[in-house]
Amino acid sequence: MNSRLIFGMMPGLASTRKLCEVLGNPQKKFKTIHVVGTNGKGSSSYYLSGILQAHGLKTGLYTSPHLVNLRERIRVNDLPIDEESLGRLLLKVKAAAEEAQVEPTFFEVLTIVAFLYYAEQNIDVAVLEAGMGGRLDSTAVADGELIVLTSIGLEHTEVLGSTESAILKEKMGVAGSAQNILSNGHSKVFVLGGLSDSLIAEAKIYAASHGCSCVVPTIRNDIELPNLGQHYIENASLSLKAAELFLKNFDEALALKTLTTRSWAGRMQKLIDANGITKFVLDGAHNSHAVRRLVEALDKYYPNQKFHCVFGALRDKDVGEMLKLMAPHVSHWHITRTPYPRFRELEDLQGELEKLGLNVASAGEFSREYLNDVCANVTDGSPVLITGSLYMIGATVQALKDDFDGLAFFRGMEPTTNEHR
């Protein structure tokens, strides 16, 4: 897998299609729901897979990136792929790539491993979170009948286009280019969320021109989630509607009950100790858009409260804007970095804080000991906020997974590399 990293992100379906053909098209052996969009894909996928499981379907879930270990990305009924299967299927894809004479990317390899695993496990349905795009994303070869579009924002503009309108069309392109009438006589359906009125209008025109239909769910006010924040209510509303459209036996009460237990790790997640006290709030807010949603959630759930904040970020992020947005909610800044090479140096972070007239309470390489030192400085019993990067959250999960039941999923996993994005 590490040898695949040099290929970076290469939009296009040729390699994936060729490998799938060599391997007997495993993606055709189960039903698929695609989840595409700029933000909110992971949580929407996780909520939806839980609802489908609760209704008795054997459900695959494919997400990215991972927080700790590659195995997280490929799950069946909430259990990660086992190490033996992952190793065996990676070698199978490697052999197929040599036979087909293609050089697949890191993401393409894992996507095909997921297809193989889901076919072996004889699942009923896979919820597939697209990677970067839609039309040229390797997950698109699975050809799902239902497509959830979570949001649209400017990202990867060099590949997806320089406007929201262009990016919308790239994401919706996961439906394929032909007239999309399924064997049951129905058209493919888009479940749309997080879009402006003008983008919804564009989405409906695009869908109609491709033989698809659109549904725009209302945001529910009766959803309870472990994850804090209105944006997760919005994502769960999409998941509810997608489940209702997909399932013949949809039970709304069961779906709502299921959502009360679905904590998407590392995203506005409370870590609660054995005494019922919230010790940490984790949020992988890694850009200004995500920090705005973090701040909205803090305003709602912790009004007028200031936090000790452990913060680290990657070099390519607008750290100044992120810090400025968070400053009203932080009493003490604790800056840190993990060994991941793209992290900002501590001196850089300190300089950004000083530009804003903010003081650094502590600085140090990330470790469990560093977290312990931060906690020792908290005198008011409030939780410690940890944010700035999903890679930071991954390191936190690795450090704390044995101490909090909310991280039990990650026990027994050792850190593995993420693709460089």
Side-chain angles (χ1 to χ4, degrees), residues 119-193:
E120 279 187 0
Q121 291 289 308
N122 197 27
I123 65 167
D124 298 306
V125 58
V127 180
L128 302 179
E129 177 191 348
M132 181 174 60
R135 181 176 66 93
L136 300 177
D137 189 87
S138 56
T139 59
V141 301
D143 201 27
E145 61 188 70
L146 191 62
I147 301 146
V148 179
L149 174 60
T150 60
S151 65
I152 292 294
L154 295 178
E155 60 157 0
H156 302 296
T157 51
E158 71 285 357
V159 176
L160 301 180
S162 58
T163 65
E164 289 188 343
S165 179
I167 291 172
L168 173 76
K169 292 180 178 66
E170 278 294 317
K171 302 281 188 185
M172 293 184 74
V174 75
S177 57
Q179 290 295 302
N180 287 295
I181 304 299
L182 303 168
S183 57
N184 60 12
H186 298 133
S187 65
K188 291 187 178 184
V189 179
F190 285 96
V191 183
L192 305 177

Side-chain angles (χ1 to χ4, degrees), residues 33-100:
I33 300 174
H34 287 290
V35 182
V36 299
T38 301
N39 288 316
K41 297 192 296 288
S43 58
S44 298
S45 300
Y46 181 68
Y47 298 149
L48 176 54
S49 69
I51 296 168
L52 298 176
Q53 281 167 232
H55 283 77
L57 296 185
K58 192 170 186 181
T59 305
L61 173 65
Y62 182 60
T63 61
S64 63
H66 57 271
L67 294 179
V68 175
N69 187 285
L70 278 176
R71 293 170 52 214
E72 296 166 44
R73 298 181 179 217
I74 302 170
R75 311 182 193 189
V76 172
N77 282 4
D78 281 340
L79 293 176
I81 185 173
D82 60 279
E83 284 190 24
E84 185 279 329
S85 294
L86 177 59
R88 175 174 52 80
L89 294 175
L90 281 171
L91 291 175
K92 193 170 183 177
V93 175
K94 182 174 185 285
E98 289 167 357
E99 179 183 336

Side-chain angles (χ1 to χ4, degrees), residues 119-300:
E120 279 187 0
Q121 291 289 308
N122 197 27
I123 65 167
D124 298 306
V125 58
V127 180
L128 302 179
E129 177 191 348
M132 181 174 60
R135 181 176 66 93
L136 300 177
D137 189 87
S138 56
T139 59
V141 301
D143 201 27
E145 61 188 70
L146 191 62
I147 301 146
V148 179
L149 174 60
T150 60
S151 65
I152 292 294
L154 295 178
E155 60 157 0
H156 302 296
T157 51
E158 71 285 357
V159 176
L160 301 180
S162 58
T163 65
E164 289 188 343
S165 179
I167 291 172
L168 173 76
K169 292 180 178 66
E170 278 294 317
K171 302 281 188 185
M172 293 184 74
V174 75
S177 57
Q179 290 295 302
N180 287 295
I181 304 299
L182 303 168
S183 57
N184 60 12
H186 298 133
S187 65
K188 291 187 178 184
V189 179
F190 285 96
V191 183
L192 305 177
L195 304 181
S196 64
D197 290 345
S198 61
L199 282 179
I200 287 174
E202 283 190 49
K204 287 179 176 178
I205 292 168
Y206 180 94
S209 70
H210 287 73
C212 303
S213 59
C214 291
V215 174
V216 184
T218 55
I219 306 305
R220 308 277 297 238
N221 58 13
D222 56 348
I223 294 174
E224 292 180 30
L225 295 167
N227 300 108
L228 305 176
Q230 178 63 23
H231 48 309
Y232 291 109
I233 300 291
E234 293 166 10
N235 298 342
S237 297
L238 287 180
S239 301
L240 274 172
K241 177 54 71 173
E244 182 185 341
L245 292 168
F246 186 81
L247 292 163
K248 292 184 176 67
N249 63 333
F250 179 68
D251 181 334
E252 185 173 282
L254 175 63
L256 288 169
K257 182 181 178 184
T258 300
L259 288 173
T260 65
T261 66
R262 299 294 284 177
S263 179
W264 184 226
R267 285 77 165 185
M268 286 311 295
Q269 180 187 19
K270 298 190 292 183
L271 294 186
I272 300 169
D273 70 12
N275 299 314
I277 297 169
T278 302
K279 303 295 285 186
F280 297 95
V281 175
L282 310 185
D283 191 50
H286 60 283
N287 55 34
S288 299
H289 175 84
V291 170
R292 284 189 185 91
R293 303 311 298 255
L294 163 62
V295 167
E296 286 173 16
L298 294 178
D299 278 333
K300 179 175 179 180

Side-chain angles (χ1 to χ4, degrees), residues 28 54 85 102 113 150 156 172 175 212 219 246 255-256 262 285 314 318 327 341 386 392 399 419-421:
K28 293 185 178 179
S85 294
V102 297
V113 167
T150 60
H156 302 296
M172 293 184 74
C212 303
I219 306 305
F246 186 81
L256 288 169
R262 299 294 284 177
L314 302 186
D318 186 358
I386 304 179
M392 167 74 62
E419 62 264 64
H420 303 308
R421 39 171 177 178

